[in-house]
Amino acid sequence: MLRVEAGMQAKSLAGHDRGRIYRIIRADEEYVWLVDGVHRTEENPKKKKRRHVQVIYQDVPTDSRARREDKHV
């Protein structure tokens, strides 16, 4: 099974939100909890089965120092 952790991005593959990009805030063996900051906030995350999302494996800078060093972020 591929690595899925809080902080990673994921794309919805199934459901009425198909194609929407989310951030994973929690994951267990069967489910992930997703937020997008607009429709789903951290107070009301979307619970979705892991098989219905595609994890986006890329490094995204999360601290302000990394954003200052890269002007194109």
Side-chain angles (χ1 to χ4, degrees):
M1 185 178 293
L2 295 175
R3 176 179 61 96
V4 177
E5 299 175 352
M8 293 179 148
Q9 291 183 335
K11 178 180 177 181
S12 174
L13 298 177
H16 69 280
D17 61 344
R18 182 180 306 147
R20 189 170 290 162
I21 303 295
Y22 290 101
R23 182 172 56 90
I24 299 171
I25 62 168
R26 183 175 153 202
D28 66 17
E29 294 298 318
E30 189 173 355
Y31 292 99
V32 292
W33 285 261
L34 309 166
V35 297
D36 66 2
V38 177
H39 300 98
R40 291 294 183 163
T41 61
E42 290 196 24
E43 293 80 28
N44 187 27
K46 171 82 173 163
K47 181 180 176 184
K48 203 163 185 80
K49 290 193 176 193
R50 288 174 73 146
R51 67 176 175 228
H52 292 157
V53 297
Q54 177 182 13
V55 176
I56 300 169
Y57 291 99
Q58 67 181 23
D59 291 333
V60 178
T62 56
D63 66 333
S64 60
R65 188 185 78 226
R67 289 189 189 126
R68 282 192 308 259
E69 291 172 359
D70 185 8
K71 304 287 188 219
H72 301 288
V73 173

